[in-house]
Amino acid sequence: MADYTHADKKRSLSNDFEAQDSDSDSATYAINALIAEDNGHDIKLRTMSWQRAAWLLAGDQICLAIMAQSWSLSVLGWVPGIITMVVAGVLFYITSMTMHRFIMRHPQIKDICDFGYYAFGKSRIAYEFTAIMLLLNNIMLIGFHVLTGAKVLNTLSDHSLCTVIFSVIVTLMGIVMSLPRTLNHVSFMSMFSAACMAIAILLFLIFAGTEDHPLYGYNGVYPAAGPVKTYAFPLEGTTWVAAMNAVLNITFLWVPQILFPTFISEMEKPQDFPKALAVLTGISAFLFIVPPAIGFRYLGQYATAPAFGSLASTVHKKASFAFVIVPTVIIGVIYANVSAKFVYGRIMGKSRHAHSNTVLGWGVWIIVMTFIWFIGFIFAEVIPSMGDFLSLLGAAFDSFFGFIFFAVAYWQLHKTHLFSGLFRSVKTVTHIFVMMCGLFLLGPGLYAAVKAIMDDYSGGVNPAFSCANVAI
């Protein structure tokens, strides 16, 4: 009888959510009901303050991809490069706020799959399609971080072991660090992750500014491509595919929203997410533009991705790149946590094991987490060019998770009054532009990513599970 009453209560609560209006009082009522339900569980998820959320966001965003932006500037030049960075940042903030408003309309959303379900009119097809994209995107990114960790260890040790062994070491570290079930605990790690990446960036800038010249770039060892120079627009001979991949490299950095619904669902006050977002946007705007611009100033056409590889001194390269191992593993942990929660929820459903400290519950969690990292490890070993495949993911998936989803969500929120007044009209036109950006990435962007992969494969690739040195 108790189980029946509990089930009835949950169905009633779900129906209440569907009946809620979008005003703040209704959202507060629904959120308080969710928090009260969560407080009755052994494992409480909705415990993260907005300050902790800000650290978690920063830990995810302050990553190695920042050090690839100098290369993007070297391809695009100052004017197109900086414009792309600024536009991407503005659209990131706008779409993230739209996401938050939509989630406040549907507070029961737990992840990006739920978001897709409600944004596309409670479509089960949209839910399952989003689930496939979520797992592919996240597990491929985990694989990329396994490979990056192997690069760091190769660089620091002068390739003292087979690269596969280094990848195994990173994978085992990731599994152990991924065991905490709540993002509130993971946010502790994010503080160290952000700090270590900031130190790595600072050291790189100091070394790049003090060295006489870079060591090499993709056009040859210095001074094969002439003296270091910067330029306003792409150099003559820059292909459309190269320029498009440089743009994808920038947008990939600015599109982390696939994780945001899960982050919001574990906040004690989801209403405060805009505070954490404001902190993240300020930090990101500085780190995503200023260090890459300084790097381009000193590396010019010799900029590589990551930019550490262009440093002339091996000591400088190791000293700065060493700190990257921390964010490499911890960001992998964040993506693993979000992925595991989705898979775990599908397996355990509404059983008590899903939110209680039971042997079965923890056993399934550990198995799921281990399996996710294992698949990421396999991807890292069998895909010859992870960087190109991430461009492919950026075009195929970020077009949805960074743009299309939020244009559709905006339409769902305001479809009855899209042009009711100047302010609403401006926002509607902005979201039409967001949709166009998403479709552009999905079309020409996807073509450019596929073409880059084909070009790399035509030049020969490393075999799977290779011991080859991948140091920068």
Side-chain angles (χ1 to χ4, degrees), residues 48 52 55-56 59 177-193 263 266 330-331 333-335 337-338 341 365:
M48 190 163 52
R52 287 282 185 83
W55 274 113
L56 187 63
M177 294 175 67
S178 297
L179 293 182
R181 297 269 287 273
T182 68
L183 287 171
N184 192 39
H185 288 85
V186 176
S187 68
F188 276 111
M189 303 181 200
S190 293
M191 299 180 189
F192 296 102
S193 174
F263 293 176
E266 295 199 24
I330 292 177
I331 293 172
V333 167
I334 295 173
Y335 279 95
N337 185 282
V338 172
K341 276 194 171 76
W365 174 260

Side-chain angles (χ1 to χ4, degrees), residues 308-327:
F308 299 109
S310 295
L311 293 175
S313 168
T314 302
V315 174
H316 290 170
K317 187 183 301 184
K318 290 183 177 181
S320 53
F321 198 42
F323 287 93
V324 175
I325 190 65
V326 176

Side-chain angles (χ1 to χ4, degrees), residues 150-346:
K151 283 179 178 287
V152 175
L153 296 178
N154 263 287
T155 302
L156 297 180
S157 68
D158 296 321
H159 189 50
S160 62
L161 294 174
C162 172
T163 296
V164 175
I165 295 177
F166 283 135
S167 297
V168 170
I169 292 172
V170 174
T171 301
L172 293 175
M173 290 169 60
I175 292 171
V176 172
M177 294 175 67
S178 297
L179 293 182
R181 297 269 287 273
T182 68
L183 287 171
N184 192 39
H185 288 85
V186 176
S187 68
F188 276 111
M189 303 181 200
S190 293
M191 299 180 189
F192 296 102
S193 174
C196 287
M197 193 64 224
I199 293 171
I201 293 171
L202 180 61
L203 288 175
F204 162 77
L205 295 178
I206 293 172
F207 297 148
T210 56
E211 289 185 352
D212 293 333
H213 57 77
L215 177 61
Y216 76 96
Y218 295 127
N219 294 319
V221 177
Y222 182 88
V228 174
K229 62 180 179 180
T230 61
Y231 28 90
F233 296 94
L235 294 172
E236 184 178 353
T238 301
T239 65
W240 183 84
V241 170
M244 193 65 230
N245 275 299
V247 171
L248 286 173
N249 192 48
I250 294 172
T251 57
F252 176 79
L253 184 60
W254 276 106
V255 182
Q257 291 103 320
I258 188 173
L259 305 177
F260 285 9
T262 305
F263 293 176
I264 294 171
S265 73
E266 295 199 24
M267 292 182 66
E268 58 184 1
K269 292 183 179 179
Q271 307 95 312
D272 289 343
F273 176 76
K275 298 178 182 177
L277 179 65
V279 173
L280 174 67
T281 304
I283 293 173
S284 298
F286 177 81
L287 289 178
F288 292 1
I289 297 176
V290 176
I294 296 174
F296 180 45
R297 160 65 180 80
Y298 288 108
L299 302 178
Q301 72 275 32
Y302 292 93
T304 58
F308 299 109
S310 295
L311 293 175
S313 168
T314 302
V315 174
H316 290 170
K317 187 183 301 184
K318 290 183 177 181
S320 53
F321 198 42
F323 287 93
V324 175
I325 190 65
V326 176
T328 293
V329 177
I330 292 177
I331 293 172
V333 167
I334 295 173
Y335 279 95
N337 185 282
V338 172
S339 304
K341 276 194 171 76
F342 173 77
V343 176
Y344 184 80
R346 293 291 290 263

Side-chain angles (χ1 to χ4, degrees), residues 40-171:
H41 298 159
D42 290 345
I43 299 174
K44 299 173 179 59
L45 298 178
R46 295 178 177 270
T47 57
M48 190 163 52
S49 67
W50 74 262
Q51 293 92 340
R52 287 282 185 83
W55 274 113
L56 187 63
L57 291 167
D60 174 53
Q61 282 285 77
I62 303 174
C63 60
L64 182 62
I66 294 172
M67 301 307 298
Q69 303 310 301
S70 294
W71 170 80
S72 293
L73 288 174
S74 75
V75 174
L76 299 172
W78 286 115
V79 176
I82 296 298
I83 289 175
T84 303
M85 290 175 174
V86 172
V87 170
V90 171
L91 294 182
F92 159 76
Y93 182 78
I94 291 172
T95 54
S96 297
M97 287 299 297
T98 298
M99 168 186 275
H100 179 254
R101 282 190 289 271
F102 190 81
I103 291 175
M104 289 299 95
R105 174 76 67 89
H106 305 281
Q108 67 273 33
I109 289 175
K110 300 188 302 295
D111 51 42
I112 194 68
C113 303
D114 286 344
F115 189 95
Y117 171 76
Y118 286 103
F120 288 91
K122 298 181 182 178
S123 168
R124 191 69 192 180
I125 294 175
Y127 180 89
E128 298 298 343
F129 178 67
T130 306
I132 293 171
M133 291 196 295
L134 168 72
L135 293 177
L136 279 175
N137 183 81
N138 287 11
I139 295 176
M140 288 281 282
L141 280 169
I142 291 168
F144 177 75
H145 285 88
V146 169
L147 180 60
T148 302
K151 283 179 178 287
V152 175
L153 296 178
N154 263 287
T155 302
L156 297 180
S157 68
D158 296 321
H159 189 50
S160 62
L161 294 174
C162 172
T163 296
V164 175
I165 295 177
F166 283 135
S167 297
V168 170
I169 292 172
V170 174
T171 301

